[in-house]
Amino acid sequence: MNRRNWLLGSVVVLGAGGLWLSKAMNHGVSPMGMAMGNSGMAGMMKGMGDVGSRIQKLPEGAPLPELARLASTSKTAGQFSATLDASLGSHEFVQGLATPALAYNGTLPGPMIEVTEGDHLKIEFKNNVPQQPSTIHWHGLEIPANQDGNPSDPVASGASRVYEFDIPVGSAGSYWYHPHPHGFTAEQVYRGLAGPLIVRSKADALPAELGDTVLMISSISLNTDGTIAENTMADNFNGREGDHVLVNGAKKPVLSLAPGSSRRFRIYNATNGRFLRLNFEGHHMTLIGADGGLLATPVRNLEEILLAPAERAEIVVDFQSSAGTFALNAMPYERGWMGMGKPESATLQLMRFELKGSAAKPIALPEKLRDIIPLGTATATKRLTFTETMGMANGGMTMGFEIDQKTYDMGRIDLKSRAGDVELWEIANITDMDHPFHIHGTQFQIIEREKNGVRTPTPYLAWKDTVNITSKETVRIKVKHSTPGIRMYHCHILEHEDAGMMGQLEVI
Ligand code: C2O
Ligand code: CU
Ligand code: CU
């Protein structure tokens, strides 16, 4: 059997009466907080340390899988119509061992949606996730709030709905889609629900010969019986990092390239809670794009790029060497670890690039990629603080993750803004760990970071929807929402989001 087929391949739909995931699927993560285990210290030890029954080795080194693409059923130009069916199926991460996983249309990661600026998108969503509500959230896109898969618009298990919106002109970039039902998001994502959505421009500034390769980074933890491991307490505290990091669904895949070639990559951090400090062995990176599309000008000679959960980067790498194999690595990063179970800090190989064949010529980048106009003078200021609480319950440690000491309440509006206003948001993190801050329905501009009294202006303008805020840091961003509606903002460590580190902004 072809490895690519069994890694990416078909997921057999089992139906709600078939093989079931685990008892965790029945209750999810308690939205009330993180009660750690039901039997005090014993539960805690089990949750923390019981990873001996996990699969330690996955097959690796297969060719980098191409992502499945979602086909449009529409014949009309500018109209993209399709169905996304979130179902439980059986997947083989290890040949011959069935893993019950959730998948959109049976593919892991979910099929790539490719649209062009100005297109009209119409997706019928079928929620066949057994026993849990779900939604599809279109991460990073500026679309109407009632089409954005808010937790307050759940689709019941067995039900369906249509999401329909226009892809804004000027929004070309690397987005993604994933569930957002409150209390179930982390679990549905780590069980397989997430996919990339690429918005193309009619006039991309970059030479087509650079190619355009999506690298969707996710992770998986498997029990030896093939089932996906439930979250441990360490996962709930820190965000699930996953035992095995996957690129396009495969472990340590290999991409073969001509020596000397220049290549464009879109890298996604689609993990629940792993920080990726990326480094290309033997090569520098040129950063050309962020969450919301191209930068104004390339940023050259980068040794490393930190991608917090949910962040994306577009880069170009010139593979100047004549031959050899080079790894894309995630280097050690101190993200602040709470409780036990801190992973060994080591450089992790994500994938490899093999240079072989006849040499290609490097491709020069244009100096100007696009215009990014600074958002201008802010007419209002908002200040948010990421806070945490620690306690003891049943002899075990508990943690709460909040914004301004409050956890998410669907019935509460936390902030209000006026459509069209430019606002300065100050997000402070007084906790002991990093939290990536994300806002729905818009792209913002980072202005500066402040830590230990030192203010550092952002080195370049970019459109962002997620920004990492390190422990004891304050980040200032400029935000503008264009349309009325209720928008979420939250920490994008999905376990923290489920625990309530999330609020609602009403744009009027
Ligand atoms: Cu990708 Cu509300 O999140
Ligand atoms: Cu989002
Ligand atoms: Cu967080």
Side-chain angles (χ1 to χ4, degrees):
M1 188 196 289
N2 168 329
R3 293 185 104 172
R4 186 160 128 197
N5 285 345
W6 59 259
L7 279 168
L8 254 194
S10 46
V11 171
V12 183
V13 176
L14 296 168
L19 183 50
W20 184 226
L21 299 177
S22 72
K23 59 185 186 312
M25 280 300 269
N26 297 330
H27 54 72
V29 175
S30 160
M32 297 312 294
M34 295 284 179
M36 292 307 136
N38 37 21
S39 50
M41 189 56 85
M44 181 163 157
M45 294 313 294
K46 185 177 181 302
M48 282 294 192
D50 188 19
V51 292
S53 56
R54 300 266 192 89
I55 290 179
Q56 308 289 338
K57 258 186 150 8
L58 284 189
E60 44 185 73
L64 176 73
E66 278 216 29
L67 294 166
R69 273 157 213 252
L70 189 64
S72 174
T73 57
S74 169
K75 301 272 173 283
T76 314
Q79 170 73 39
F80 188 102
S81 309
T83 299
L84 283 174
D85 181 336
S87 292
L88 177 66
S90 175
H91 191 74
E92 285 190 4
F93 288 96
V94 176
Q95 203 162 8
L97 188 64
T99 293
L102 295 174
Y104 289 116
N105 296 4
T107 70
L108 292 176
M112 179 157 87
I113 301 177
E114 269 188 284
V115 288
T116 303
E117 290 180 357
D119 281 359
H120 185 78
L121 193 107
K122 185 173 179 182
I123 301 280
E124 176 166 23
F125 169 49
K126 295 189 173 155
N127 177 18
N128 286 310
V129 177
Q131 303 168 38
Q132 290 184 354
S134 193
T135 75
I136 302 182
H137 168 55
W138 310 95
H139 181 120
L141 282 171
E142 189 176 325
I143 57 167
N146 61 6
Q147 303 302 308
D148 206 17
N150 280 348
S152 48
D153 289 326
V155 178
S157 178
S160 63
R161 73 156 277 176
V162 171
Y163 293 104
E164 193 170 5
F165 48 86
D166 292 321
I167 304 290
V169 172
S171 68
S174 313
Y175 305 93
W176 57 307
Y177 61 95
H178 63 75
H180 221 301
H182 189 53
F184 302 100
T185 299
E187 184 176 12
Q188 290 185 10
V189 173
Y190 78 63
R191 291 193 189 279
L193 296 180
L197 188 159
I198 309 288
V199 177
R200 302 214 178 268
S201 153
K202 284 176 183 149
D204 194 312
L206 286 144
E209 307 80 68
L210 287 169
D212 192 340
T213 306
V214 174
L215 303 176
M216 179 104 177
I217 302 178
S218 63
S219 71
I220 190 98
S221 302
L222 295 170
N223 296 316
T224 43
D225 65 0
T227 57
I228 295 175
E230 289 175 36
N231 263 2
T232 62
M233 271 179 279
D235 293 330
N236 284 338
F237 283 177
N238 298 286
R240 179 174 171 114
E241 294 199 346
D243 293 348
H244 306 278
V245 178
L246 309 177
V247 183
N248 295 357
K251 185 162 182 189
K252 292 186 194 173
V254 179
L255 182 61
S256 296
L257 297 169
S261 56
S262 304
R263 307 293 299 178
R264 175 184 189 176
F265 300 104
R266 298 174 191 256
I267 309 181
Y268 283 69
N269 185 343
T271 70
N272 281 22
R274 182 183 281 267
F275 289 73
L276 299 168
R277 187 177 156 220
L278 301 169
N279 155 268
F280 264 85
E281 197 178 35
H283 295 83
H284 286 142
M285 295 174 272
T286 299
L287 184 70
I288 57 163
D291 305 335
L294 295 176
L295 306 181
T297 55
V299 179
R300 294 173 199 277
N301 289 320
L302 296 176
E303 302 255 336
E304 58 178 77
I305 292 173
L306 179 68
L307 276 192
E311 284 188 300
R312 290 87 68 206
E314 273 188 80
I315 64 167
V316 169
V317 180
D318 296 317
F319 293 91
Q320 317 95 329
S321 317
S322 55
T325 299
F326 301 91
L328 168 62
N329 290 319
M331 297 189 295
Y333 177 71
E334 276 305 324
R335 38 76 61 89
W337 191 267
M338 302 305 295
M340 291 184 282
K342 185 176 184 208
E344 298 263 330
S345 105
T347 295
L348 180 77
Q349 192 183 105
L350 304 175
M351 68 176 291
R352 284 177 297 133
F353 297 83
E354 192 179 25
L355 307 185
K356 61 178 186 194
S358 48
K361 285 212 176 66
I363 298 164
L365 296 179
E367 259 329 292
K368 183 173 168 191
L369 302 176
R370 69 137 121 178
D371 287 321
I372 296 186
I373 296 160
L375 275 174
T377 311
T379 54
T381 301
K382 292 194 163 45
R383 188 178 163 87
L384 297 173
T385 306
F386 279 135
T387 55
E388 69 193 3
T389 51
M390 269 177 267
M392 299 293 281
N394 301 322
M397 182 179 162
T398 60
M399 284 209 68
F401 298 95
E402 308 125 7
I403 297 177
D404 295 321
Q405 270 114 27
K406 287 177 294 190
T407 54
Y408 171 63
D409 177 347
M410 211 177 275
R412 185 183 71 225
I413 297 297
D414 300 280
L415 296 173
K416 280 193 181 172
S417 294
R418 275 195 321 218
D421 279 5
V422 174
E423 299 186 335
L424 181 72
W425 288 37
E426 286 186 342
I427 307 110
N429 178 1
I430 61 168
T431 76
D432 297 302
M433 64 199 296
D434 289 18
H435 298 283
F437 178 77
H438 168 55
I439 314 181
H440 287 200
T442 191
Q443 292 283 325
F444 55 75
Q445 294 177 348
I446 302 173
I447 304 303
E448 64 178 9
R449 296 176 168 274
E450 181 173 348
K451 196 159 178 167
N452 302 323
V454 182
R455 289 182 178 217
T456 312
T458 194
Y460 47 85
L461 264 186
W463 290 113
K464 294 282 294 167
D465 55 54
T466 307
V467 57
N468 189 40
I469 315 216
T470 64
S471 174
K472 313 296 188 258
E473 187 179 43
T474 296
V475 174
R476 294 184 182 85
I477 64 177
K478 279 187 183 163
V479 187
K480 185 175 85 171
H481 278 92
S482 300
T483 50
I486 290 176
R487 301 293 187 175
M488 320 307 298
Y489 54 88
H490 57 88
C491 172
H492 217 289
I493 289 177
L494 297 180
E495 285 74 9
H496 294 175
E497 175 193 322
D498 276 339
M501 200 174 231
M502 176 158 73
Q504 296 189 112
L505 167 75
E506 184 176 13
V507 181
I508 51 168

